[in-house]
């Protein structure tokens, strides 16, 4: 029987592996980073990692799962706000910063999805879940203004997600970008998207 302390220690170790793997994937790429390199980066044997993850794909799956849970939590926290559009706009700075900070890792995961059907499926399922929750949130905003507009909710959710996905690429192509100015412009674009 697992004690709570043992479970907590196992979860901490699992998190260490995910953080180390993320750094190794950013530095060496998915295929360039070996389990032994990941293990060495925080003083664990490669064999010990297999107690937590059976493959690098399983590590990517856990990274994608964590990112999805983060997104779902942020969406859940927005429901029921009086000024829902204002609440969404208030999250832009944090969302932008997160996308830019994670750009190297996220693009590596996406590149692997282009080659690996299992990783592609993991990413597509997570995206579908997030989009579904986002569409429900956007329905609250749009249907209150225009009852016939919910037909466009799927497209609005896709464009909103694409705006933030694009920031990930901008972070790589333009590392010196002015984040406050970009966030201000992004808020204007989101307001226009959701107000019409």
């Amino acid at each position: 029987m697992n004690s709570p302390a043992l479970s907590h220690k196992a979860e901490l170790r699992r998190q260490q592996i995910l953080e180390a793997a993320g750094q190794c994937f950013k530095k060496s790429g998915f295929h360039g980073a070996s389990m032994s390199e990941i293990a060495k980066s925080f003083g664990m044997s490669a064999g010990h990692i297999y107690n937590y993850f059976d493959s690098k794909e399983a590590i990517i799956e856990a990274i994608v799962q964590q990112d999805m849970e983060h997104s779902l939590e942020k969406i859940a926290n927005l429901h029921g706000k009086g000024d829902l559009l204002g609440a969404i706009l208030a999250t832009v700075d944090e969302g932008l910063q997160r996308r830019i900070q994670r750009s190297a890792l996220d693009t590596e995961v996406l590149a692997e999805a282009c080659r690996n059907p299992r990783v592609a499926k993991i990413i597509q399922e997570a995206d579908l879940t997030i989009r579904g929750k986002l569409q429900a949130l956007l329905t609250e905003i749009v249907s209150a203004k225009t009852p016939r507009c919910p037909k466009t909710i799927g497209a609005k959710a896709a464009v909103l997600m694409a705006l933030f996905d694009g920031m990930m690429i901008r972070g790589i192509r333009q590392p010196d970008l002015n984040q406050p100015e970009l966030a201000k412009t992004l808020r204007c674009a989101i307001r226009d998207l959701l107000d019409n």
Side-chain angles (χ1 to χ4, degrees):
M1 180 163 93
N2 285 345
S3 72
L6 192 59
S7 295
H8 180 68
K9 185 177 178 182
E11 186 52 41
L12 285 175
R13 182 61 82 186
R14 192 173 184 277
Q15 190 57 42
Q16 283 179 316
I17 293 168
L18 292 177
E19 288 171 11
Q23 291 303 313
C24 290
F25 292 160
K26 286 186 332 191
K27 179 181 158 215
S28 305
F30 180 74
H31 291 284
S34 66
M35 289 296 239
S36 60
E37 179 188 351
I38 294 166
K40 186 179 176 184
S41 71
F42 67 98
M44 178 186 272
S45 71
H48 195 65
I49 289 180
Y50 288 103
N51 292 330
Y52 298 90
F53 299 100
D54 62 4
S55 66
K56 286 193 287 183
E57 286 176 345
I59 292 173
I60 282 189
E61 185 171 6
I63 289 170
V64 171
Q65 179 72 28
Q66 270 190 342
D67 194 41
M68 180 182 76
E69 288 170 4
H70 178 269
S71 296
L72 293 177
E73 181 182 340
K74 292 296 178 188
I75 292 168
N77 288 340
L78 291 168
H79 279 288
K81 301 280 185 188
D83 175 11
L84 191 49
L85 178 56
I88 289 172
L89 295 175
T91 67
V92 166
D93 291 275
E94 180 189 349
L96 176 61
Q97 184 175 9
R98 181 173 170 81
R99 273 297 152 228
I100 290 172
Q101 284 176 344
R102 289 180 51 97
S103 59
L105 175 60
D106 288 347
T107 53
E108 186 58 41
V109 171
L110 288 172
E112 182 58 21
C114 292
R115 298 181 289 262
N116 184 325
R118 181 178 171 207
V119 173
K121 186 172 189 259
I122 290 164
I123 288 173
Q124 289 161 3
E125 287 175 354
D127 186 81
L128 184 64
T129 300
I130 294 167
R131 257 185 303 126
K133 296 293 184 182
L134 183 59
Q135 285 175 208
L137 186 69
L138 298 185
T139 299
E140 290 182 39
I141 297 171
V142 176
S143 62
K145 295 173 189 279
T146 315
R148 62 179 167 66
C149 245
K151 290 185 240 172
T152 65
I153 291 293
K156 287 179 186 287
V159 169
L160 184 57
M161 291 174 78
L163 286 170
F164 284 94
D165 289 345
M167 294 303 114
M168 165 174 69
I169 303 303
R170 279 275 46 96
I172 294 170
R173 290 187 174 188
Q174 188 181 350
D176 63 340
L177 56 78
N178 182 329
Q179 285 189 39
E181 196 59 41
L182 191 57
K184 181 180 175 185
T185 305
L186 195 51
R187 278 191 290 276
C188 290
I190 292 169
R191 188 178 290 111
D192 287 348
L193 176 69
L194 301 181
D195 260 349
N196 295 314

